[in-house]
Amino acid sequence: MNANSSNNSNPEQNNNPRASDSSTDVSTTNSPSHDRSAPTTTSSGQGQQMWGGRFSEATDSFVAAFTASVGFDQRFARHDIQGSIAHATMLKECDILEADDVATIIDGLHQVLREIEAGEFNWSIALEDVHMNVESRLTDIVGAVGKKLHTGRSRNDQVATDIRLWLREETDNIIALLVRLQSGLLDLAEQHTDTIMPGFTHLQTAQPVSFGHHVMAWFEMLYRDTERLVDARRRINQMPLGSAALAGTTFPIDRTITAELLGFEGICQNSLDAVSDRDFAIEFTSAASILMMHLSRMSEEIILWMSAQFNFVQIPDRFCTGSSIMPQKKNPDVPELVRGKAARVFGQLMTLLSLMKSQPLAYNKDNQEDKEPLFDCVDTLTGSLLAFADMLPNITPNKENMRAATMKGYATATDLADYLVRNGVAFRDAHEVVGNAVALGIKEGVDLSDLSLAQLQQFSDAIGDDVFEYLTLEGSLAARDHLGGTAPNQVKQAVSRGRTRLEIFA
Ligand code: ARG
């Protein structure tokens, strides 16, 4: 079961959790070691677990460690306490608990939070999860009145509430990073509306585009990602609290009070659904996966463009590393790593979908497995965006190399065809004429604009001496002068619209 079974350094591995000190520190233990040589049961010390009343034997120590989530869900501590304070306040407002008791409970909860934030809290595996650790410490501090907090509530609605409060905050943080990144891209695009680079299809030179236009394509991708997250946030921000274990509670609670205190914009309408579904987390992870797919595509471009073969851009040295053997190397580690990390986020999406697909209503312990994938997804995305928000707006194009590359691939061939069409040639015929001209250019080793008028005219008498203004890169760019086109003047307008559009997220 665990290759590490000879490692007995954690005293709790050798003792039944009930018989051991319940304050065993697990703050650094994410996956407790599973020691099969440890005694599995004890006949003494029953009743220490919060739900121990109906049990006739103690939990197997391995099972206690295996089923505990406190190693990771302690990350919710602040949100758990925030939820408990709102719940207690509501119980008072609805005359379910006495005002004095609630005041004592809230003071106690603040103290628990202070201890956690100061790193002085002893997390215990025996107490299973963040919820019971907090409640148990509350009762240590305030005495028996602490035991009233769980009135009209279950860990099932409690954990669903914690995840949503936490994810709402993380989503806001991610949206803020996205806005920072997009606003940096707008600045970059604005500086390069008339910087010319080859546009590609099939990674073959296709038509000249403005580098600013390319950057604005990235902006658009990220803009939709932001919209997706803003939209997902509305469904994250619904309150399950009050659903209790699965069916609601017999106490006369008022869920609008807790919803308002916790800033939820809506209340989950069905208690069975509220405690069980994690679709809001799956939706977040889907949006995160699409976003990571976009960051990965951008990474791929940066990596290609930094190669000696392209030599289109520089990224600041702080995003690169060298090679231990090849002194000349400057490797684009950050974009490479982000490209790799996209795979990881896609994997977490599959984990969450698979976790949910076979669960009957309502809460099942399977759902405890929702946390680590979600944490990893949030951390990976946040890290990738932090790197990108600083790196991407600071790339420097090598204008001369980009221009030279554009000159190489007959990028203005379509412009010549369009010119012929305007002079009365049908497009399919024009396509043929230009194909012949390109073949001659390849044979002579020159660009279309370097062929003489006589050379061009042998393919079509619709070609006049004004043709050369259409064969220049600047002419080609400027001609695509409509909404969404690459003309520098259009890119300028796209940047200014982008600034306005971004304001709704700020
Ligand atoms: N640690 C549990 C989770 O993450 C909390 C809810 C436990 N509820 C229960 N009935 N065992 O899902």
Side-chain angles (χ1 to χ4, degrees), residues 285-488:
T285 312
S286 310
S289 296
I290 299 175
L291 169 49
M292 285 302 296
M293 175 275 290
H294 282 151
L295 296 185
S296 180
R297 292 185 65 195
M298 295 168 202
S299 297
E300 172 70 5
E301 292 187 316
I302 302 291
I303 294 160
L304 280 174
W305 292 354
M306 276 185 68
S307 68
Q309 288 68 23
F310 274 83
N311 196 6
F312 279 7
V313 292
Q314 312 277 3
I315 65 175
D317 281 0
R318 62 183 180 280
F319 298 104
C320 301
T321 60
S323 158
S324 58
I325 171 168
M326 296 168 283
Q328 85 283 12
K329 294 276 278 203
K330 177 173 159 185
N331 295 327
D333 283 46
V334 169
E336 287 175 279
L337 204 51
V338 168
R339 188 176 58 183
K341 282 181 186 293
R344 182 172 169 149
V345 172
F346 302 171
Q348 306 300 14
L349 172 60
M350 281 308 121
T351 302
L352 290 177
L353 282 168
S354 313
L355 175 67
M356 205 69 241
K357 73 179 273 291
S358 310
Q359 288 193 50
L361 289 170
Y363 175 85
N364 302 285
K365 183 77 169 178
D366 311 41
N367 271 343
Q368 184 164 293
E369 285 292 305
D370 62 0
K371 286 160 204 65
E372 288 161 295
L374 190 59
F375 292 161
D376 188 60
C377 173
V378 162
D379 292 342
T380 306
L381 183 55
T382 305
S384 303
L385 282 172
L386 270 171
F388 258 59
D390 188 14
M391 180 190 76
L392 208 53
N394 286 305
I395 60 177
T396 330
N398 300 335
K399 293 187 189 186
E400 275 163 31
N401 286 336
M402 281 182 167
R403 192 182 173 88
T406 320
M407 291 303 293
K408 269 186 215 151
Y410 300 95
T412 57
T414 318
D415 297 82
L416 179 54
D418 289 352
Y419 167 88
L420 289 166
V421 169
R422 280 192 298 274
N423 288 354
V425 181
F427 183 80
R428 200 44 67 205
D429 296 333
H431 190 284
E432 165 98 27
V433 167
V434 179
N436 293 331
V438 167
L440 177 64
I442 292 172
K443 197 168 132 228
E444 307 266 307
V446 297
D447 184 57
L448 286 178
S449 59
D450 298 322
L451 293 171
S452 69
L453 183 59
Q455 281 176 309
L456 286 170
Q457 280 175 334
Q458 62 180 303
F459 302 114
S460 169
D461 52 16
I463 296 178
D465 61 4
D466 59 342
V467 69
F468 294 103
E469 60 194 84
Y470 298 95
L471 296 183
T472 66
L473 301 182
E474 282 74 14
S476 170
L477 230 60
R480 286 163 174 79
D481 188 13
H482 54 78
L483 195 147
T486 192

Side-chain angles (χ1 to χ4, degrees), residues 215-242:
V215 171
M216 286 305 288
W218 293 342
F219 172 87
E220 293 297 334
M221 299 176 197
L222 295 171
Y223 193 85
R224 290 191 298 277
D225 289 321
T226 315
E227 286 182 319
R228 266 185 283 275
L229 285 168
V230 167
D231 199 53
R233 187 191 191 278
R234 284 174 34 225
R235 282 173 292 280
I236 293 168
N237 200 20
Q238 303 288 322
M239 188 187 73
L241 196 60

Side-chain angles (χ1 to χ4, degrees), residues 67-69 72-73 128-131 154-156 159 163 278 363-371:
T67 56
S69 54
F72 47 87
D73 68 13
E128 202 175 315
D129 54 28
V130 61
H131 323 293
S154 152
R155 278 184 296 154
N156 296 351
V159 69
I163 306 173
R278 298 293 183 260
Y363 175 85
N364 302 285
K365 183 77 169 178
D366 311 41
N367 271 343
Q368 184 164 293
E369 285 292 305
D370 62 0
K371 286 160 204 65

Side-chain angles (χ1 to χ4, degrees), residues 80-113:
D80 192 73
I81 289 171
Q82 187 191 0
S84 288
I85 290 173
H87 177 68
T89 307
M90 182 278 292
L91 292 175
K92 176 190 73 183
E93 306 271 305
C94 295
D95 294 324
I96 299 166
L97 289 189
E98 305 272 339
D100 286 353
D101 286 351
V102 170
T104 308
I105 287 171
I106 292 177
D107 282 350
L109 284 167
H110 280 129
Q111 182 174 332
V112 175
L113 182 60

Side-chain angles (χ1 to χ4, degrees), residues 147-166:
K147 297 183 182 177
K148 296 186 180 182
L149 171 63
H150 213 51
T151 310
R153 181 177 81 166
S154 152
R155 278 184 296 154
N156 296 351
D157 59 342
Q158 196 179 352
V159 69
T161 304
D162 290 3
I163 306 173
R164 287 170 183 266
L165 287 172
W166 174 82

